[in-house]
Amino acid sequence: MENSTSEPQPLLALVDALKRLPGVGVRTARRMAYHLLQHDLQAAQQLGQALTNAVERLQHCEQCNGFTEVPICATCLHPERDKTLLCIVETPADQNSIEATHGYTGLYYVLMGRLAPLEGTGPDELDFDRVLARAADGIVQEVILATNFTAEGETTAHYLSEALRTRGIKVTRLARGVPAGSEIEYVDAGTVAWALMERKPT
Amino acid sequence: MENSTSEPQPLLALVDALKRLPGVGVRTARRMAYHLLQHDLQAAQQLGQALTNAVERLQHCEQCNGFTEVPICATCLHPERDKTLLCIVETPADQNSIEATHGYTGLYYVLMGRLAPLEGTGPDELDFDRVLARAADGIVQEVILATNFTAEGETTAHYLSEALRTRGIKVTRLARGVPAGSEIEYVDAGTVAWALMERKPT
Ligand SMILES: [Zn+2]
Ligand SMILES: [Zn+2]
């Protein structure tokens, strides 16, 4: 008797798709698929719609590179923000942490990553030409580097600092009040606020 | 100046939906969302479609409770399978492992879980009445318990064994060739085949 495959195609396709999530192997993908189909069909539908919706509606802001539903995001268009200050962060979550201090009224640029040569993420992948052009618009007076205080974040800050200073742009880095080795997203707002006030020229 | 939220709604909705996956917290959900939107839009689309497709097309087999696209699955309808043998497994992955031995030609029942009182999964949640009715169809001569050899799998086997014997049905358990504490899905086919042949009355 030939061996019958007991799993239908839509289930196999779902496991394959879940496996493409970062950090998810076949075992975890199977557990997720069984869980959704057996215990939480509503979550499966919600996630399916959220994915389709996000892919269709989100784009990168032409100015800050953050995720937005319109060509230029509300933060960049805000009339009261200080256009002479540009804060460079790795992710939207880091931007949220800076906003949560209520101590910063300038603009942002979101790298959507950090230099990681071992993973093949270099200045081209992060589109550093665009970052430098943004900082050199003639209005920005100071670039604040707020990449993470991890090895890769520091490397990214160092690289950007050199490139920006070569172009005659003033560059500062968040003060080292942020504990070394930690990620900005998980630091309390008070510490981030202090580091922002005490920022030093690089 | 009022604090502007920097993340657009479709992104927040995606993070919320990803958080409903088992074992995924807000930090992992954010990382997954950024990864999909920044680096793998194709995976996001694929997963969105796979979820919608699975929710729309998959149902539970009326006989074996496994996932299927039709009311009764191909395994249950297969004319050459031995209808006097019924093997009870926890998940479709366990059924695959039994099939991979090429040593079993009977039918299956898929519990889609195991007894876990601490998580609120009892005999009612697993619909044991349906399992018992299936085994008491008058055609099944022997029920083979192939739940995992973990504490919860053993408890499940013990409970089913008692209930089935009370109804005068012959019950066997996979032989203890399967290493204690391990999960059937990850045991090599030879060991599973041996355990199947050496199965003992409970
Ligand atoms: Zn923007
Ligand atoms: Zn079936």
Side-chain angles (χ1 to χ4, degrees):
Chain A
M1 187 176 62
E2 86 198 72
N3 188 28
S4 63
T5 60
S6 48
E7 292 184 293
Q9 196 278 331
L11 176 61
L12 296 172
L14 177 56
V15 172
D16 275 347
L18 286 165
K19 265 193 334 203
R20 293 185 65 172
L21 291 171
V24 174
V26 64
R27 180 176 186 168
T28 306
R30 269 187 198 285
R31 187 178 302 149
M32 287 174 167
Y34 296 158
H35 173 82
L36 289 173
L37 295 169
Q38 185 65 24
H39 300 294
D40 208 347
L41 276 181
Q42 200 212 344
Q45 280 173 312
Q46 181 186 337
L47 180 54
Q49 283 162 10
L51 283 161
T52 305
N53 205 30
V55 169
E56 277 173 8
R57 288 170 55 188
L58 290 180
Q59 53 190 291
H60 289 286
C61 174
E62 289 170 12
Q63 277 191 30
C64 72
N65 197 40
F67 293 117
T68 167
E69 294 181 77
V70 288
I72 299 179
C73 77
T75 304
C76 287
L77 288 175
H78 200 293
E80 289 174 47
R81 297 203 76 114
D82 183 348
K83 287 164 186 56
T84 67
L85 286 175
L86 184 70
C87 181
I88 299 185
V89 293
E90 294 183 22
T91 68
D94 297 329
Q95 180 178 347
N96 287 349
S97 292
I98 306 276
E99 284 293 288
T101 69
H102 300 282
Y104 180 71
T105 59
L107 297 177
Y108 291 93
Y109 189 91
V110 187
L111 294 173
M112 295 290 180
R114 67 281 177 280
L115 289 181
L118 296 178
E119 298 168 17
T121 308
D124 288 348
E125 284 68 29
L126 293 178
D127 214 349
F128 273 9
D129 285 346
R130 192 178 154 206
V131 183
L132 299 175
R134 172 70 191 88
D137 70 348
I139 300 165
V140 170
Q141 302 291 310
E142 178 186 349
V143 171
I144 303 169
L145 297 173
T147 53
N148 285 315
F149 283 74
T150 58
E152 290 173 337
E154 294 279 26
T155 302
T156 307
H158 181 76
Y159 190 105
L160 284 171
S161 171
E162 295 294 309
L164 289 162
R165 277 195 297 190
T166 300
R167 286 160 180 77
I169 299 163
K170 183 186 175 190
V171 190
T172 57
R173 177 96 168 102
L174 289 195
R176 290 202 156 277
V178 179
S182 65
E183 297 183 2
I184 290 164
E185 179 180 353
Y186 301 100
V187 174
D188 67 280
T191 304
V192 176
W194 190 87
L196 198 61
M197 281 190 306
E198 293 292 314
R199 64 185 186 269
K200 304 252 168 63
T202 58
Chain B
M1 186 177 64
E2 86 196 71
N3 188 28
S4 63
T5 61
S6 49
E7 292 184 294
Q9 196 278 329
L11 177 61
L12 296 173
L14 178 56
V15 171
D16 275 347
L18 285 165
K19 264 193 334 205
R20 293 184 65 173
L21 290 171
V24 174
V26 65
R27 180 177 186 168
T28 305
R30 268 186 198 285
R31 187 177 302 149
M32 286 174 168
Y34 296 157
H35 173 81
L36 289 173
L37 294 170
Q38 185 66 23
H39 300 295
D40 208 348
L41 277 180
Q42 201 212 344
Q45 281 172 312
Q46 181 187 336
L47 180 53
Q49 283 162 11
L51 283 160
T52 305
N53 205 29
V55 169
E56 279 174 6
R57 287 169 56 189
L58 291 180
Q59 52 188 292
H60 289 287
C61 174
E62 290 171 10
Q63 277 193 28
C64 73
N65 197 39
F67 293 118
T68 168
E69 295 181 77
V70 288
I72 299 180
C73 78
T75 303
C76 286
L77 288 174
H78 200 294
E80 291 174 44
R81 297 203 75 115
D82 184 348
K83 289 165 184 55
T84 67
L85 287 175
L86 184 70
C87 181
I88 299 185
V89 293
E90 294 184 22
T91 69
D94 296 330
Q95 180 178 348
N96 287 349
S97 292
I98 306 275
E99 283 294 286
T101 69
H102 300 281
Y104 180 71
T105 58
L107 297 177
Y108 290 93
Y109 189 91
V110 187
L111 294 173
M112 295 291 178
R114 68 279 177 281
L115 289 180
L118 296 178
E119 298 168 17
T121 307
D124 287 347
E125 283 70 29
L126 293 177
D127 214 349
F128 273 9
D129 285 346
R130 192 179 153 206
V131 184
L132 299 175
R134 172 70 190 86
D137 69 348
I139 300 166
V140 170
Q141 300 291 312
E142 176 185 349
V143 171
I144 303 170
L145 297 173
T147 53
N148 285 314
F149 283 73
T150 57
E152 291 175 336
E154 295 279 25
T155 303
T156 308
H158 181 75
Y159 190 105
L160 283 172
S161 171
E162 296 293 311
L164 289 163
R165 277 195 298 191
T166 300
R167 285 160 180 79
I169 298 165
K170 182 186 174 189
V171 190
T172 58
R173 177 95 169 102
L174 288 196
R176 290 204 156 277
V178 179
S182 66
E183 297 183 0
I184 289 164
E185 180 181 352
Y186 301 100
V187 174
D188 66 281
T191 304
V192 176
W194 189 86
L196 199 61
M197 280 190 309
E198 295 290 314
R199 65 188 186 267
K200 305 253 168 62
T202 58

